[in-house]
Amino acid sequence: MINGLIDRLFGQEHQEKKGSSKNIKHGRNSISDLLELYLRENHFLTAVVMDTGKRRLAKLNSGIVDVDPDAHRFACDAFLPKEANALMMPGVKVRFSLTHQGIRHQFEALYNDKDPSRSEDLHWFSFPKGIEQVQLRDAFRVKLSQISSIKVTLTHDSNPTLSGGLVDLSASGMRVKIQGFLDPKPERGEIYSACHLVLSDGTPIVCGGKLMHWQVEQERKVTYLGVQFTELDGNTQRTLNRFLTDMQRKSRQLS
């Protein structure tokens, strides 16, 4: 029941493809740096609760809210759906995953305990033994330096419409730069009913979107949003793929 609910709410993430290149970070400093990255960029994490037989018990979502490198542990805020927080008990193994700049990050961590000083759910986990990184083969990203300035509009059902500039683009999503700080504050996993941009060749892209991560640069007073495309129809997806393939070819010629 929980698995079906989460799949309907959040959909399926990128699947690793055969032949994808892998890299595993084992050092404590490397693991700490990556967890700090997920915290700093407010990444939307998928969390799969496993039993001792490595069977999937539930598929949840959360985000990292604290990292303690001295104690080798990190904390996640309340899992969704809320009733799944009752599954968290000392020794429970959770498999986390996210996608960052076209690379899938995944790791397993053991649950420690709940923070008793917080009224809401906040869960502490031990550092993982390693963090595996898998390059997604369909995630070639076009950087801003390769394309002309492209305006992006994000429509939300209840919050104000957002406008910004495209930072990079892939077949599955984009990163958008918005001047200033957002009010209300972004929430990981929130849904945009419409994403609209016009490619440099004049082709419009219109679809839905889901916020996968976000970051604020206080000194520059800008906000970056990492948005995953949703509800891409077949024709739009093929148009986007052709555009990215052409840009990849031009990039290789230049290099």
Side-chain angles (χ1 to χ4, degrees), residues 198-217:
V198 178
L199 301 178
S200 56
D201 62 4
T203 304
I205 299 294
V206 181
C207 61
K210 179 170 69 173
L211 183 62
M212 302 305 292
H213 60 88
W214 60 276
Q215 180 183 11
V216 173
E217 290 192 3

Side-chain angles (χ1 to χ4, degrees), residues 173-215:
M174 61 184 172
R175 195 157 61 104
V176 182
K177 177 182 177 182
I178 297 175
Q179 296 296 330
F181 309 131
L182 303 189
D183 185 21
K185 185 178 178 181
E187 294 185 9
R188 293 182 300 261
E190 66 181 330
I191 300 299
Y192 300 108
S193 56
C195 302
H196 181 271
L197 62 147
V198 178
L199 301 178
S200 56
D201 62 4
T203 304
I205 299 294
V206 181
C207 61
K210 179 170 69 173
L211 183 62
M212 302 305 292
H213 60 88
W214 60 276
Q215 180 183 11

Side-chain angles (χ1 to χ4, degrees), residues 7-251:
D7 287 341
R8 288 196 300 274
L9 286 174
F10 300 104
Q12 299 294 326
E13 292 204 31
H14 277 305
Q15 297 297 315
E16 173 188 335
K17 293 190 175 183
K18 186 177 180 180
S20 299
S21 58
K22 299 180 181 181
N23 178 37
I24 301 178
K25 301 292 186 182
H26 289 292
R28 286 291 181 185
N29 290 339
S30 296
I31 290 172
S32 179
D33 288 345
L34 286 173
L35 294 174
E36 290 279 3
L37 171 68
Y38 310 151
L39 167 63
R40 187 169 61 252
E41 296 197 3
N42 295 281
H43 268 280
F44 185 69
L45 273 66
T46 294
V48 178
V49 181
M50 313 295 289
D51 70 3
T52 54
K54 294 188 177 181
R55 295 178 301 175
R56 188 174 82 169
L57 294 180
K59 182 179 178 182
L60 321 171
N61 292 105
S62 184
I64 294 176
V65 294
D66 198 0
V67 177
D68 186 344
D70 294 329
H72 298 163
R73 64 177 190 162
F74 67 95
C76 289
D77 57 10
F79 289 92
L80 295 174
K82 292 183 178 180
E83 59 266 24
N85 289 280
L87 296 173
M88 297 300 154
M89 296 178 289
V92 166
K93 181 180 292 185
V94 177
R95 181 176 299 162
F96 293 94
S97 63
L98 65 126
T99 300
H100 177 74
Q101 296 184 355
I103 298 175
R104 182 177 177 84
H105 296 225
Q106 49 198 26
F107 56 94
E108 292 185 352
L110 291 178
Y111 182 74
N112 292 163
D113 52 37
K114 180 179 176 180
D115 191 334
S117 66
R118 299 281 293 266
S119 57
E120 69 274 20
D121 287 312
L122 187 146
H123 305 286
W124 284 98
F125 291 84
S126 299
F127 269 18
K129 294 180 180 179
I131 297 179
E132 183 180 52
Q133 297 172 296
V134 182
Q135 177 67 54
L136 300 173
R137 298 176 66 184
D138 62 350
F140 170 74
R141 309 184 76 80
V142 176
K143 299 297 183 181
L144 182 61
S145 60
Q146 297 172 279
I147 56 180
S148 58
S149 178
I150 292 179
K151 180 180 178 181
V152 177
T153 302
L154 301 172
T155 302
H156 196 282
D157 285 341
S158 57
N159 296 335
T161 297
L162 302 176
S163 295
L166 189 68
V167 176
D168 59 47
L169 176 70
S170 75
S172 58
M174 61 184 172
R175 195 157 61 104
V176 182
K177 177 182 177 182
I178 297 175
Q179 296 296 330
F181 309 131
L182 303 189
D183 185 21
K185 185 178 178 181
E187 294 185 9
R188 293 182 300 261
E190 66 181 330
I191 300 299
Y192 300 108
S193 56
C195 302
H196 181 271
L197 62 147
V198 178
L199 301 178
S200 56
D201 62 4
T203 304
I205 299 294
V206 181
C207 61
K210 179 170 69 173
L211 183 62
M212 302 305 292
H213 60 88
W214 60 276
Q215 180 183 11
V216 173
E217 290 192 3
Q218 295 287 345
E219 293 184 359
R220 299 175 61 192
K221 296 183 179 180
V222 296
T223 301
Y224 291 94
L225 304 180
V227 178
Q228 181 184 77
F229 293 139
T230 62
E231 302 175 4
L232 271 175
D233 62 59
N235 288 334
T236 303
Q237 185 69 76
R238 285 189 290 272
T239 297
L240 183 57
N241 290 343
R242 284 195 297 269
F243 174 79
L244 291 166
T245 298
D246 184 57
M247 294 305 300
Q248 187 175 26
R249 177 180 58 80
K250 291 179 179 178
S251 176

